[in-house]
Amino acid sequence: MAEPLQLNNVSVRYGDFTAVIEVSLRLEAGHIGCLLGPSGCGKTTLLRAIAGFEPLAAGSISLGERQISDPGQLVPTEQRNVGMVFQDFALFPHLSIAGNVGFGLSGMDRAEREQRISAMLELVSLEGTQSAYPHELSGGQQQRVALARALAPGPELLLMDEPFSSLDRDLREQLAVEVREVLKRAGVTAILVSHDQQEAFTLSDQVTVINAGRVAQTDTPYALYHNPADRFVAEFIGQGSIISVNADTQGKLSHGLGTLTPEQLSNYGQSNLGLLVRPDDIKYSARSEVQLKVLSRAFRGANFMYELALPNGQAVSCLTPSHVNVAAGELLPVQFDLQHLVLFEAEG
Ligand code: ATP
């Protein structure tokens, strides 16, 4: 049965270096969470601490009612009832698919084991592959076998470490959707480590962004994108940039960007504000008086991603349909759509 996962002020040290610092988070039973952040921020260390591979220097971890880690105790991994899926699938090449999926199913009689294996293969849409060998399946199929193997013993918690990173981008996206469906059908609580936000957003109910060992924000993907807690999250999530702007006494922002509400004006002041501008906040508008110089552009088939210069030289990105075809050095007429302004106080 799925259980909620709770981390209270968890710290993990390697010698004098603290890789995970006072991390608290809660993941409800049956929910999918993601640890997301740049390389070296501590994601894998945290996942390893949840799995029972790393002792805690401080804090505690519980699964349902059971406390599984604190500085004085480390319930061994095999007694935690956690399933694991690794980056490289880690299937046994000499075992058939049935042998792989049934690997952790000790204590079941033969008929029960076979039934469980078929149910798991059905869950991951690989019915009838029992007698095949891993090398006969595609990368995506192998990863689904790894998922079936991890889910077969009915873990309370499933841990996934960069589960799709060895697959190509298109396959990753498709697999992330499929894996989400499988996990939801299995009703398992799951936590994955990723540095790919697209994958994190597709798969997860909640995402924890980690910055240098600390939680920067835990939220739904939608809230992270639209209401980032700080500059780090704002710049890490999505392709926005934070530009420095000033407002006049009425709240009107420089560069024709929009107008602050009286409340925003009193909260943030007028000068040197950080304004988050996402590529989809700037729209091509043929008759607009605001015309920005094109610094560069990248053709992406269905659209162009433009890099534009504001009058004071700050760069912003702008996504347009691909028929809006303006060369570098020319002017692009645009309109800012900052209905949901995200502002930060002056830096420093
Ligand atoms: P990546 O995305 O690159 O895998 P990560 O966010 O998973 O990175 P961790 O692997 O958890 O980061 O590492 C966090 C920090 O702890 C890094 O500075 C790393 O160098 C350090 N670290 C990791 N493992 C050890 C170890 N066994 N001994 C000492 N330092 C370690």
Side-chain angles (χ1 to χ4, degrees):
M1 208 188 76
E3 293 283 3
L5 173 73
Q6 177 87 42
L7 274 66
N8 292 312
N9 290 312
V10 166
S11 296
V12 182
R13 277 194 207 117
Y14 296 116
D16 290 342
F17 175 66
T18 309
V20 167
I21 309 164
E22 294 170 7
V23 165
S24 294
L25 68 91
R26 182 179 170 84
L27 184 61
E28 295 303 332
H31 282 208
I32 305 169
C34 176
L35 307 173
L36 180 70
S39 183
C41 70
K43 310 178 289 289
T44 303
T45 302
L46 195 50
L47 197 76
R48 287 176 57 78
I50 297 168
F53 298 135
E54 300 292 346
L56 304 194
S60 64
I61 302 178
S62 22
L63 197 50
E65 299 291 301
R66 218 159 43 111
Q67 186 149 310
I68 51 176
S69 277
D70 62 46
Q73 74 155 350
L74 188 68
V75 172
T77 304
E78 58 280 10
Q79 288 171 24
R80 289 187 176 214
N81 200 9
V82 294
M84 277 180 262
V85 178
F86 301 98
Q87 216 171 90
D88 57 358
F89 322 149
L91 295 179
F92 305 114
H94 58 286
L95 289 186
S96 66
I97 299 308
N100 269 282
V101 175
F103 187 78
L105 299 179
S106 49
M108 278 188 186
D109 67 35
R110 194 187 159 125
E112 204 184 350
R113 190 167 175 271
E114 275 172 16
Q115 203 180 18
R116 183 75 183 158
I117 292 169
S118 346
M120 286 300 113
L121 287 175
E122 196 180 324
L123 183 71
V124 298
S125 308
L126 284 173
E127 300 93 328
T129 57
Q130 275 89 334
S131 52
Y133 280 83
H135 72 270
E136 296 175 290
L137 303 185
S138 71
Q141 289 172 327
Q142 289 182 37
Q143 192 53 305
R144 275 156 38 206
V145 173
L147 183 62
R149 181 179 62 184
L151 291 173
E156 288 169 40
L157 178 70
L158 182 73
L159 304 176
M160 298 181 283
D161 190 0
E162 305 259 8
F164 313 117
S165 62
S166 59
L167 305 171
D168 68 48
R169 170 146 289 284
D170 285 351
L171 189 56
R172 271 156 72 168
E173 244 180 88
Q174 185 199 330
L175 203 60
V177 173
E178 288 174 14
V179 167
R180 181 174 166 84
E181 282 167 14
V182 169
L183 296 180
K184 288 294 167 186
R185 257 182 279 145
V188 67
T189 312
I191 189 153
L192 94 144
V193 157
S194 179
H195 60 255
D196 177 339
Q197 63 166 282
Q198 206 60 48
E199 184 176 294
F201 279 17
T202 305
L203 200 67
S204 320
D205 299 304
Q206 86 179 34
V207 176
T208 299
V209 179
I210 301 182
N211 178 15
R214 293 180 192 274
V215 172
Q217 186 171 3
T218 296
D219 237 318
T220 61
Y222 187 90
L224 279 180
Y225 189 83
H226 291 287
N227 290 307
D230 60 23
R231 285 173 182 257
F232 174 82
V233 177
E235 291 188 306
F236 186 71
I237 298 292
Q239 288 179 298
S241 42
I242 297 177
I243 58 167
S244 178
V245 291
N246 297 312
D248 68 14
T249 49
Q250 307 303 307
K252 202 162 165 242
L253 294 167
S254 36
H255 318 309
L257 291 171
T259 305
L260 301 184
T261 61
E263 196 191 9
Q264 286 168 329
L265 193 58
S266 68
N267 283 345
Y268 295 96
Q270 280 176 256
S271 56
N272 203 19
L273 307 171
L275 175 68
L276 173 63
V277 183
R278 304 267 193 213
D280 45 321
D281 290 333
I282 307 178
K283 304 253 181 313
Y284 167 73
S285 170
R287 277 184 278 281
S288 173
E289 284 173 10
V290 181
Q291 306 222 346
L292 302 182
K293 190 170 163 189
V294 174
L295 295 171
S296 65
R297 61 180 190 165
F299 183 59
R300 301 184 166 191
N303 44 48
F304 269 115
M305 181 68 87
Y306 281 93
E307 224 21 50
L308 306 173
L310 290 171
N312 64 359
Q314 295 182 93
V316 287
S317 302
C318 165
L319 198 62
T320 73
S322 70
H323 56 78
V324 179
N325 191 358
V326 176
E330 292 178 15
L331 295 175
L332 185 72
V334 293
Q335 232 173 21
F336 289 88
D337 176 15
L338 301 176
Q339 283 187 35
H340 314 284
L341 274 183
V342 178
L343 275 180
F344 296 98
E345 285 173 38
E347 231 170 4

